[in-house]
Amino acid sequence: MCRFFDNVSFMDAEGGEIQGYLTMENTFVEAEAETIDGQPALVQKGHLQRRKDHAKGQVYFEKTMIFYEDHYEVELSVGAPEGSKYRYADVWFDINDDWCHRYTNSAGDILRLRPSRGDAQNAAATWRSIEQLDRGYGVWMSVSGPREEILIALTDPEVLRPLPYAGITFFDGHDEVGDQPPNSSHECMSITIVGGIREPVAFEPNRVIFHYRVFLQARSDFERLYGTD
């Protein structure tokens, strides 16, 4: 992962707020390790951080992550001030594009991904609604590498279905060659609460709770993937 993985982000006209970004240290969040139903878990509570000046943001979130052998499950609650507007509001999963070969989703989209080549530079163009995605066998998206795959699935898409701008998006960032700073090229899958638009819209309802699962699937065993040293 080249930046942050499983990151909450609300983008408004002023630059937006984010859970964590590159070297930003968000001191407005408390994180505690717990055990839930016998499984290790991480519970985070607090405010997002403004991107421009790193000050405390207006968006409050609570995120509980429960870890299993091959995946983790998340309950995410986000709340924003009444009447606030956003160009996008999402959870994104940032991956270095040197690793990615293919993006797919439950709407039937398939994008072949190549290092040093932006295949989906406009996230608004790749936005898909819950209705488009839910074709009878779940709402999901995945990025595959040469030996591994990351798959994100909504476990309760009916919660987001009434929201007109909810769904998923994919963004394939800048080309690797000539990037400044080096190795900043990235590809992002996003669960969107607000997405697919170019101008900010009202975040209604202003509080949303939903669940998702993230599967980290290897096509080989640990030793073959990473060696024994």
Side-chain angles (χ1 to χ4, degrees):
M1 283 67 81
C2 64
R3 298 191 180 187
F4 273 79
F5 193 74
D6 208 313
N7 201 349
V8 182
S9 176
F10 277 60
M11 181 57 63
D12 58 20
E14 303 301 319
E17 304 173 10
I18 202 163
Q19 181 181 343
Y21 183 75
L22 291 177
T23 56
M24 283 173 56
E25 180 181 352
N26 190 346
T27 60
F28 311 112
V29 175
E30 296 180 357
E32 293 187 5
E34 297 187 8
T35 299
I36 298 177
D37 295 332
Q39 298 297 133
L42 181 67
V43 178
Q44 302 171 67
K45 299 179 181 180
H47 285 80
L48 301 184
Q49 189 174 27
R50 293 201 322 225
R51 296 179 70 161
K52 285 189 174 181
D53 58 7
H54 299 190
K56 182 179 180 179
Q58 298 187 86
V59 176
Y60 178 81
F61 78 99
E62 296 184 6
K63 181 194 287 186
T64 298
M65 311 172 76
I66 304 176
F67 299 94
Y68 298 87
E69 184 176 352
D70 63 346
H71 75 286
Y72 63 91
E73 300 186 1
V74 182
E75 178 182 277
L76 176 64
S77 170
V78 290
E82 290 278 0
S84 54
K85 295 184 177 181
Y86 300 97
R87 185 165 57 86
Y88 61 80
D90 59 28
V91 186
W92 50 262
F93 305 82
D94 200 347
I95 307 160
N96 191 296
D97 74 355
D98 279 341
W99 177 86
C100 302
H101 281 188
R102 184 186 68 202
Y103 165 77
T104 58
N105 65 35
S106 54
D109 298 314
I110 299 176
L111 287 174
R112 303 292 178 183
L113 305 174
R114 297 173 295 280
S116 305
R117 181 77 175 265
D119 298 283
Q121 294 183 353
N122 189 340
T126 66
W127 177 80
R128 297 291 181 267
S129 69
I130 299 296
E131 293 296 335
Q132 290 171 299
L133 294 159
D134 194 354
R135 303 192 297 171
Y137 51 92
V139 172
W140 57 269
M141 56 183 159
S142 71
V143 162
S144 300
R147 295 176 297 182
E148 298 166 290
E149 179 178 6
I150 297 169
L151 185 145
I152 293 104
L154 282 171
T155 56
D156 54 357
E158 63 277 3
V159 171
L160 297 182
R161 195 184 305 278
L163 307 184
Y165 306 108
I168 63 174
T169 61
F170 177 76
F171 173 74
D172 182 6
H174 307 293
D175 289 352
E176 191 74 44
V177 177
D179 259 5
Q180 295 297 325
N183 302 315
S184 65
S185 180
H186 61 111
E187 289 163 345
C188 299
M189 301 180 285
S190 297
I191 301 172
T192 66
I193 313 166
V194 174
I197 57 173
R198 303 182 189 280
E199 299 295 329
V201 297
F203 184 58
E204 296 176 345
N206 68 316
R207 185 174 179 83
V208 178
I209 302 174
F210 61 99
H211 297 80
Y212 57 92
R213 292 174 178 156
V214 179
F215 295 86
L216 310 174
Q217 301 173 334
R219 297 190 177 93
S220 184
D221 56 33
F222 185 90
E223 286 75 15
R224 291 184 181 181
L225 285 170
Y226 303 108
T228 55
D229 295 334

